[in-house]
Amino acid sequence: MSRPFFYCSELSRHDAEKPYGTASTGEVWVLLEYSRGWNARAFEDSDLSATVKRHLTRTIRNIPRARLLFIKQERLSVHPLTLFVVRSRERDPFMVKFHLESYEQLMETDIAAAATGKTMSGIITREPLYLICTHGKRDKCCAKFGYALYKSLRAETGESVWQSSHVGGDRFAANLICFPHGLFYGHVTDEAGQMIINEYEEGRLVLDGYRGRTCYGHAVQSAEFFIRHESGLKGLDELRYLHRERVNEHSWRVQFAARRSIHEARVTGRLSQFQNYITCHSTEEQSVLQYVLDNYQMIRSVD
């Protein structure tokens, strides 16, 4: 029996899969402009020289919690090439922007130093940057839903919007990331995408479609969502992560501090009752991990 035709993103939306607690994790994001075609393995199958590939692989491996993505825009000329090194962290995230004449110039670019804010050749910026995964060779959902969102937001927002290679979570296409904070959103429509951008530029989160902040682990991502939902705190800097404590194999107690209070959420990860194809290449349906809120409390008020 042949497998039915489907889009994994439509299946996820149909079953109302909750996206919080699913953002890809990472604190340093190396975003390299590469406008040629992206195969399923964008970096490995690219036309970059073997020397450049080895250098980038070694560089990413030596930076804690670093990720590499290809990015592109529909530009007539791609010279100079653009490289962003993003430090996504809870407080004072930033980006360093480089202009490169060739990919070989990466050999002379100190990406590790840029990730700490120490750079001699890059420009430090905190201006918003938006990525939308359009990696269709990886998953057709990213082409169908991601590229349409890219075109829409690019027309409205301009040069701060870029296409990106695989960011994780094909079934949440269209995926939108707000840098430098590293906020992941899934199942984003044109209207929702523009609202997310507008709120982000005003220093606020949108909870609808929020997958999480990339500097947090998945349990902490879900706890942040629930605390913000229960408390009404939407400001980007209104919460500060304190710690998490494992309660049992599948549950965590997570605390965040606000200006005058401490907020605590106990969350549990459970396999969903529904089963889906979680990518468009999947051959078997499976359950997915979903986080639920067991308890929320504001445990201390600070005068």
Side-chain angles (χ1 to χ4, degrees), residues 107-122:
M107 312 287 288
E108 306 165 9
T109 305
D110 195 338
I111 292 174
T116 68
K118 299 176 182 178
T119 179
M120 300 297 292
S121 56

Side-chain angles (χ1 to χ4, degrees), residues 145-156:
F145 301 106
Y147 187 70
L149 180 65
Y150 165 74
K151 294 289 287 185
S152 172
L153 296 187
R154 172 83 171 169
E156 291 292 329

Side-chain angles (χ1 to χ4, degrees), residues 12-33:
S12 176
R13 288 194 296 271
H14 177 269
D15 283 316
E17 180 179 356
K18 302 299 186 285
Y20 41 79
T22 67
S24 297
T25 58
E27 292 187 11
V28 175
W29 295 79
V30 179
L31 313 176
L32 176 63
E33 184 173 11

Side-chain angles (χ1 to χ4, degrees), residues 226-243:
F226 287 122
I227 288 172
R228 288 185 179 279
H229 183 269
E230 296 295 321
S231 67
L233 297 171
K234 303 293 178 60
L236 286 173
D237 297 325
E238 281 192 287
L239 289 179
R240 178 170 55 86
Y241 171 59
L242 294 178
H243 72 271

